[in-house]
Amino acid sequence: MKAIVKTRPEFGAEYLDIPIPVPKPNEVLIKVRATSICGTDVHIYKWDSWSAGRIGAGNLPQTLGHECTGEVVEVGAHVKRIKVGDNISLETHIPDPEDVQSFLGQQHIGEHMKIVGVDRNGCFAEYITAPEVVCWKNDPAIPPEYASIQEPLGNACYCLLGEDGDVVGKTMVILGDGPIGLMATAMARMAGVTKIFVTGLFPYCLDLAKTLGADYTLNAGDKTLDRVAFVRDHTNGFGADIVLEMSGSKDAVVEGFKMLRKGGRFSAFGVISAPELSLDYNNDFVFKGAQVFGINGRKMFDTWYRVRNMLASGRLDVSRIVTGLIDIKDFASGFDSMLAIPRHSAKIVMFPDPAELAKAKARRIG
Ligand code: ZN
């Protein structure tokens, strides 16, 4: 089969012929219909210090990718729930049933949890094997180009709702204009957030945020703009009820805490490259009574359930967030647009089968 493989500890990847993997007794073999590029894939593609440390040159070659949808074509001997022919998407976090978190409803952050495309071969290929436990059955009403992006939509959903889901009628700052920031914007609008501020660096993405429901967009690179004052001025002087950090920028984190009102919630999702921060602990956390909520992955499978219903019902329209539909052999152009500055794209979905790509493109025109 064809696959996009990281062969060397340097920038880039190769489009290679490799053997079709064989599922273990608890695994299924999936024929990939659509697969989307995530920020994590970009880190690995660039081979930055995070991926060099997390994956390590010794574990190459490895197939890239973790967001996908496809059809189950073979099941291992111990697989019960999933059947050949099932239309599924993959949860990326493979839980270890022995972890204490697995007993506590937190299997997505288990001590020994493994990640598809990071700890094992990924889905930028014609086929992938995966444990049955991470297979999520799709609603057939959801086309593959959207079924593939349910994994990041689940991140956006978890960040947005937190543990209490208390968002209706509230004000929200979304820090970051990347794909997940844009997904959160559309979902926040759908969920009844009544004032949405989005910060980001790129006019194309900020304009997109506006079309998705942002009331205000704030350029994070504008040194003359006091974004904290702007948010306070537009929230009766209080600051925002909820702040979602989705930029991975140190400055945005610091600013975000200043934008948060007393008693508000800060969902921390973006990963920053040099994580030591200088924050005003007393005023930004303690006296503020801030709820700070780290998000690593999606709730299995609560957010999947919600996202499936949002997409299948048509209540959540992600068509404008999927800005690229490409043949998987053209992966380099997909990564190029993810790396371009300024950015002129959001989510890019790749297709191993040109016929699937043609159908997806026809749906866009139709
Ligand atoms: Zn992802």
Side-chain angles (χ1 to χ4, degrees), residues 36-41 65-67 92 115-116 148 151-153 155 180 269 298 347:
S36 30
I37 306 178
C38 171
T40 303
D41 305 315
H66 58 270
E67 299 174 6
T92 303
I115 302 181
V116 176
S148 176
E151 190 255 31
L153 280 165
N155 290 123
I180 299 205
F269 174 74
R298 301 133 300 279
K347 200 73 183 168

Side-chain angles (χ1 to χ4, degrees), residues 154-300:
N155 290 123
C157 183
Y158 199 8
C159 286
L160 174 79
L161 297 179
E163 288 294 348
D164 60 11
D166 181 14
V167 298
V168 176
K170 297 228 161 159
T171 59
M172 183 176 282
V173 172
I174 297 170
L175 301 165
D177 58 1
I180 299 205
L182 297 171
M183 290 172 180
T185 304
M187 216 179 273
R189 182 67 174 232
M190 190 206 72
V193 177
T194 43
K195 200 173 272 185
I196 304 170
F197 306 80
V198 177
T199 72
L201 288 172
F202 307 125
Y204 171 89
C205 302
L206 291 173
D207 287 348
L208 197 48
K210 271 254 164 89
T211 71
L212 295 167
D215 297 283
Y216 304 100
T217 57
L218 303 169
N219 191 318
D222 184 348
K223 298 255 187 292
T224 64
L225 177 64
D226 186 340
R227 287 168 291 276
V228 174
F230 186 94
V231 170
R232 286 180 176 278
D233 287 347
H234 291 78
T235 50
N236 300 315
F238 303 140
D241 298 310
I242 303 162
V243 173
L244 312 184
E245 193 335 86
M246 300 177 148
S247 72
S249 148
K250 205 178 246 194
D251 293 343
V253 173
V254 174
E255 244 178 40
F257 276 105
K258 308 273 179 228
M259 292 168 171
L260 188 67
R261 77 155 163 82
K262 281 194 152 198
R265 162 162 66 88
F266 188 100
S267 281
F269 174 74
V271 177
I272 52 183
S273 53
E276 290 77 24
L277 273 177
S278 171
L279 287 166
D280 183 345
Y281 178 78
N282 294 346
N283 290 308
D284 290 340
F285 291 79
V286 183
F287 301 137
K288 190 165 260 190
Q291 300 174 49
V292 181
F293 187 39
I295 307 282
N296 180 19
R298 301 133 300 279
K299 274 176 111 175
M300 294 162 68

Side-chain angles (χ1 to χ4, degrees), residues 56-208:
N59 287 314
L60 303 182
Q62 186 169 287
T63 304
L64 291 170
H66 58 270
E67 299 174 6
C68 72
T69 185
E71 184 189 333
V72 174
V73 292
E74 192 183 330
V75 297
H78 299 161
V79 171
K80 291 198 171 68
R81 182 175 58 93
I82 298 296
K83 310 279 184 240
V84 168
D86 280 352
N87 165 359
I88 58 127
S89 286
L90 278 191
E91 161 57 51
T92 303
H93 288 186
I94 301 173
D96 182 333
E98 301 301 320
D99 281 339
V100 68
Q101 289 83 1
S102 296
F103 292 94
L104 298 174
Q106 301 171 318
Q107 53 181 332
H108 63 293
I109 46 168
E111 214 62 49
H112 304 96
M113 177 263 292
K114 296 270 184 284
I115 302 181
V116 176
V118 173
D119 297 310
R120 56 186 280 153
N121 279 325
C123 60
F124 289 175
E126 289 178 90
Y127 295 90
I128 182 175
T129 52
E132 177 184 29
V133 68
V134 292
C135 293
W136 175 252
K137 286 190 204 175
N138 283 322
D139 188 308
I142 306 172
E145 57 274 28
Y146 306 147
S148 176
I149 65 166
Q150 290 176 102
E151 190 255 31
L153 280 165
N155 290 123
C157 183
Y158 199 8
C159 286
L160 174 79
L161 297 179
E163 288 294 348
D164 60 11
D166 181 14
V167 298
V168 176
K170 297 228 161 159
T171 59
M172 183 176 282
V173 172
I174 297 170
L175 301 165
D177 58 1
I180 299 205
L182 297 171
M183 290 172 180
T185 304
M187 216 179 273
R189 182 67 174 232
M190 190 206 72
V193 177
T194 43
K195 200 173 272 185
I196 304 170
F197 306 80
V198 177
T199 72
L201 288 172
F202 307 125
Y204 171 89
C205 302
L206 291 173
D207 287 348
L208 197 48

